Amino acid sequence: MTLHQGAVARPWVERILAINGWFVFAFLYLPIMVVVVFSFSGSSNVGIWGGFSLRWYDQMLGNQQLMNALKNSIVIALWSTVIATVLGTAAALSLDRYRRWVGRGAFDGLLYLPIIIPDVTMAVMLLLWFTQTGLVPLGRTSITLAHIAFNISFVAIVVRARLAHMDPEMEDAAADLYAGRWQAFRRVTLPLILPGVLGGALLALTLSLDDVVITSFVQGPGATTLPVYVFGLIRRSVTPEINAVSTFMIAISMVLVLGSLGFQRRSEKDD
Amino acid sequence: MTDSIAAVSLHGVTKRFGEDVVAVDDVDLEIRDGEFFSLLGPSGCGKTTTLRMIAGLEFPTDGSIEIYGEEMGISPPNKRPVNTVFQSYALFPHMNVEDNIGFGLRMQKIDPAEIRTKVGEAIELVQMTGMEKRRPNALSGGQQQRVALARALVNRPKVLLLDEPLGALDLKLRQTMQLELKDIQSEVGISFVYVTHDQEEALTMSDRIAVMNEGRMEQVGRSEDIYDSPGSLFVAGFVGDMCFLTAEVVEAGAVRLSGGEIVRARTSDAAGTSVTLALRPEMLHLYAEASEAPSGRNAVKGSIARSVFNGGTMFYEVDIGAGGSFDVRVENKPSMRRWDMGDSVVVDFHPEAATALAQ
């Protein structure tokens, strides 16, 4: 804070930065605004305002396929988030705390691979793996497994960042104060990394809900997710129902983002 | 026979990290029941590793550690009758003062009513009454230090381990806490093992001190002995101010300085050995003439090469030609004669104040 107060104020710099801020804000949110506004339009034409109406929301709720895809999306997102969060947190802990296991170095590097390689590559790999091994039929289970596969990396990275600035003496102190390994984890480590774990979980949830590319490869007949269904809908015909669905999805994302910001605030306050 | 059992004893303890790092090298040590014992040394000398091995946070590569006669082996920290005050305090940020202090008791499944009583007593002992509900980040460094101390002491450990607990505090607070820690130690009556790199702190607080260097014990003894008769060149240089002169032993109790002057000193080496003569600046006295100096002591002629006013003391550097120079510190009293640059003086010191150490 003191640094900022000490800096020489140059009004024109501040004005340009403010204008830039508004420009970025408009660039990001005007398209979203358009979609939201037109989702309440009564016209059958996507781009023409036809007075306020909820008919597209009504049609969306009556669309059995769409509702089914939404249900799939939610179930898959929840399962993959829970499992990826547990596995990702465990991976982060083992990488950060235990320095001497065989293959640690390789795993450390490879953990980031799912984030770096293109979705399409990952999608093809997963599809090949599912079809070649034949262990899992393509459908909700294969989509869930695929989402777990990429989400583990994201969770592990977020949790590791949190672990990195946790004082290692905390765990020593817990052990010194008669806590066994599990109690030390349960009473000290977990509460301290919880903001990271929850942040990673929210990220995983968002990524799972948003994914199109990987899901469209590993989905099976009759089991698709909402974003993939919407993508198919656009290819067939563009109706204002898309606007309603999009607005609905934006609302979900907004709630998740606000939740994740809340956790970050809380964790900053703790430090 | 009970008082002959050491609180902590280390037998041939060695700790290696990887192949070639030897943090602690074949250390034997006995810490007595109820004493304030300091492990003193520069950073990287192995003092913290030694402490962590007593706590069970590290295990020796070789050797054994006993606490009140009980072999510790590889028993984990939660199975040992010791508690630690960590350098960073390591207070749990998600718990308030009360819950931090009660943590060890809760882990031991003590009755909640008893926990409340004991935590209350511990809070009183470290004078933190009224702060029970505060979170650690709402406390000052000194207050955090008190909570860390209470959190360890509330478990009634047989030995309390302290890892540079005052390192993060400013000088004034550190001096207050030094005395307070000493008071608390005599109040609870258990052995304290105190790790520090601050020799003044070690001298102020300890009953006995072990000086460590490069993983080895250089000297173990009472504070006074460490200061008055350092056993090695390292200890002489590390503990307190010291001035060094090169010399050679001529016979038992006498050495020759490089300039040819023969002075009487404490020696343990054979005639002909090259030694370093170590002298405390405050044990040297200055006179204008040799005749003024008390007889039966050492008197070496020189001239004032530098004088520095330090407030409570005056510091002089006395050049004695080929022999080198003496550092002399004189208390600043009205009766004291002030010397100027170039004044001829005689440096006077008792033979017991000069220790000849092997190089």
Side-chain angles (χ1 to χ4, degrees):
Chain A
M1 283 308 238
T2 40
L3 253 181
H4 285 233
Q5 282 162 359
V8 181
R10 270 168 299 188
W12 61 273
V13 172
E14 273 178 31
R15 197 166 303 151
I16 287 175
L17 285 174
I19 292 168
N20 177 62
W22 281 105
F23 179 76
V24 170
F25 191 72
F27 191 80
L28 286 174
Y29 286 97
L30 275 183
I32 293 177
M33 281 303 296
V34 170
V35 168
V36 174
V37 168
F38 277 94
S39 74
F40 295 105
S41 159
S43 165
S44 308
N45 196 314
V46 177
I48 293 170
W49 181 249
F52 182 82
S53 151
L54 290 173
R55 67 182 273 213
W56 300 115
Y57 286 92
D58 191 44
Q59 188 173 326
M60 177 183 92
L61 292 172
N63 184 337
Q64 203 47 53
Q65 275 183 310
L66 189 140
M67 284 295 118
N68 212 21
L70 174 65
K71 205 184 93 194
N72 282 340
S73 262
I74 290 171
V75 170
I76 290 167
L78 288 177
W79 274 112
S80 69
T81 297
V82 169
I83 297 171
T85 302
V86 172
L87 294 178
T89 303
L93 279 167
S94 63
L95 285 171
D96 195 81
R97 293 283 186 266
Y98 304 98
R99 305 245 162 229
R100 282 187 292 256
W101 45 281
V102 179
R104 182 187 173 276
F107 185 59
D108 197 2
L110 292 175
L111 187 64
Y112 295 83
L113 211 56
I115 294 172
I116 298 160
I117 58 172
D119 277 2
V120 176
T121 319
M122 180 117 178
V124 172
M125 290 182 334
L126 285 164
L127 177 63
L128 275 175
W129 194 77
F130 285 131
T131 52
Q132 292 299 307
T133 59
L135 290 172
V136 199
L138 294 182
R140 277 209 294 209
T141 316
S142 65
I143 299 173
T144 308
L145 287 174
H147 285 196
I148 292 169
F150 65 74
N151 272 337
I152 285 176
S153 300
F154 286 97
V155 173
I157 284 166
V158 175
V159 175
R160 264 190 100 176
R162 180 78 194 168
L163 275 172
H165 75 115
M166 176 182 155
D167 181 359
E169 281 195 338
M170 290 288 170
E171 279 171 0
D172 287 349
D176 187 67
L177 294 165
Y178 310 105
R181 281 179 167 258
W182 167 249
Q183 281 172 315
F185 176 74
R186 169 76 191 73
R187 303 295 181 128
V188 175
T189 313
L190 189 60
L192 291 180
I193 63 170
L194 198 61
V197 173
L198 292 175
L202 278 172
L203 186 62
L205 197 66
T206 317
L207 290 169
S208 175
L209 284 174
D210 282 354
D211 180 69
V212 173
V213 178
I214 294 172
T215 309
S216 63
F217 272 71
V218 299
Q219 68 181 336
T224 192
T225 62
L226 189 62
V228 177
Y229 176 77
V230 170
F231 191 63
L233 217 59
I234 293 173
R235 276 193 306 188
R236 285 198 295 277
S237 63
V238 182
T239 72
E241 192 186 353
I242 297 280
N243 291 340
V245 175
S246 304
T247 304
F248 181 69
M249 287 169 72
I250 289 165
I252 294 177
S253 303
M254 287 280 227
V255 170
L256 292 180
V257 167
L258 288 176
S260 127
L261 279 177
F263 283 122
Q264 277 174 31
R265 291 264 164 75
R266 222 187 79 183
S267 76
E268 276 160 21
K269 237 177 21 192
D270 279 350
D271 289 337
Chain B
M1 283 303 280
T2 40
D3 43 5
S4 72
I5 293 184
V8 181
S9 55
L10 280 69
H11 307 287
V13 169
T14 296
K15 177 68 182 178
R16 284 190 198 89
F17 290 109
E19 287 297 304
D20 27 55
V21 182
V22 184
V24 176
D25 192 0
D26 193 21
V27 162
D28 290 294
L29 195 62
E30 291 231 325
I31 296 161
R32 294 172 195 151
D33 182 46
E35 77 176 334
F36 198 117
F37 191 91
S38 289
L39 288 167
L40 172 67
S43 63
C45 72
K47 56 192 191 297
T48 295
T49 307
T50 306
L51 193 82
R52 287 174 64 85
M53 285 192 288
I54 299 172
L57 296 165
E58 309 272 357
F59 299 120
T61 319
D62 255 317
S64 69
I65 294 174
E66 286 172 21
I67 297 174
Y68 283 95
E70 202 180 321
E71 164 68 42
M72 285 296 123
I74 55 159
S75 71
N78 50 333
K79 301 267 157 55
R80 295 187 182 209
V82 299
N83 288 108
T84 310
V85 177
F86 290 88
Q87 188 165 17
S88 67
Y89 312 138
L91 298 178
F92 305 131
H94 57 298
M95 298 177 197
N96 63 26
V97 167
E98 218 169 35
D99 291 342
N100 260 288
I101 296 175
F103 186 86
L105 298 172
R106 286 202 304 279
M107 290 298 111
Q108 294 177 93
K109 305 267 190 309
I110 308 266
D111 175 61
E114 201 184 330
I115 294 181
R116 229 169 298 130
T117 319
K118 285 187 167 180
V119 168
E121 284 167 11
I123 286 173
E124 216 167 291
L125 179 71
V126 298
Q127 301 165 28
M128 284 290 287
T129 314
M131 311 259 190
E132 290 87 348
K133 301 293 177 200
R134 295 245 190 121
R135 289 282 184 102
N137 59 9
L139 300 175
S140 71
Q143 291 169 334
Q144 291 184 23
Q145 215 277 318
R146 288 161 194 267
V147 176
L149 187 65
R151 187 177 69 170
L153 281 175
V154 77
N155 302 292
R156 301 252 154 234
K158 287 184 173 169
V159 180
L160 184 74
L161 310 173
L162 303 103
D163 185 7
E164 307 224 11
L166 306 182
L169 306 180
D170 60 60
L171 184 66
K172 268 269 154 40
L173 191 53
R174 200 154 71 221
Q175 288 168 342
T176 318
M177 287 304 294
Q178 282 173 2
L179 297 176
E180 223 169 281
L181 263 179
K182 191 90 181 106
D183 288 347
I184 287 174
Q185 194 258 339
S186 47
E187 196 174 330
V188 296
I190 60 170
S191 311
F192 277 29
V193 183
Y194 190 93
V195 161
T196 181
H197 66 269
D198 182 339
Q199 45 91 20
E200 220 177 298
E201 192 168 284
L203 291 173
T204 307
M205 303 175 74
S206 320
D207 297 318
R208 288 197 308 146
I209 298 175
V211 184
M212 286 187 80
N213 184 34
E214 293 179 345
R216 293 176 168 278
M217 287 294 158
E218 288 275 341
Q219 190 176 359
V220 182
R222 297 187 312 137
S223 303
E224 296 91 323
D225 296 338
I226 300 272
Y227 189 82
D228 292 339
S229 36
S232 73
L233 213 48
F234 175 81
V235 175
F238 192 75
V239 180
D241 289 335
M242 195 65 105
C243 97
F244 294 109
L245 294 163
T246 46
E248 189 191 303
V249 179
V250 283
E251 57 178 60
V255 299
R256 182 187 295 115
L257 303 181
S258 310
E261 303 91 339
I262 291 184
V263 297
R264 293 194 295 128
R266 294 197 303 197
T267 59
S268 54
D269 297 289
T273 316
S274 292
V275 291
T276 297
L277 199 63
L279 301 124
R280 296 285 177 200
E282 74 274 15
M283 296 190 184
L284 306 181
H285 308 278
L286 296 178
Y287 296 97
E289 300 288 339
S291 57
E292 294 174 18
S295 58
R297 294 162 59 122
N298 291 302
V300 180
K301 282 196 177 112
S303 63
I304 302 287
R306 190 205 292 261
S307 82
V308 180
F309 174 69
N310 276 335
T313 56
M314 282 298 294
F315 173 86
Y316 298 106
E317 190 181 312
V318 180
D319 185 15
I320 57 162
S325 62
F326 284 105
D327 294 337
V328 183
R329 193 160 49 223
V330 184
E331 236 183 290
N332 211 355
K333 288 186 284 199
S335 60
M336 269 304 157
R337 171 161 176 198
R338 294 270 177 93
W339 305 92
D340 293 318
M341 296 273 283
D343 284 354
S344 290
V345 290
V346 169
V347 180
D348 156 80
F349 56 93
H350 195 277
E352 286 291 306
T355 313
L357 296 162
Q359 281 171 339

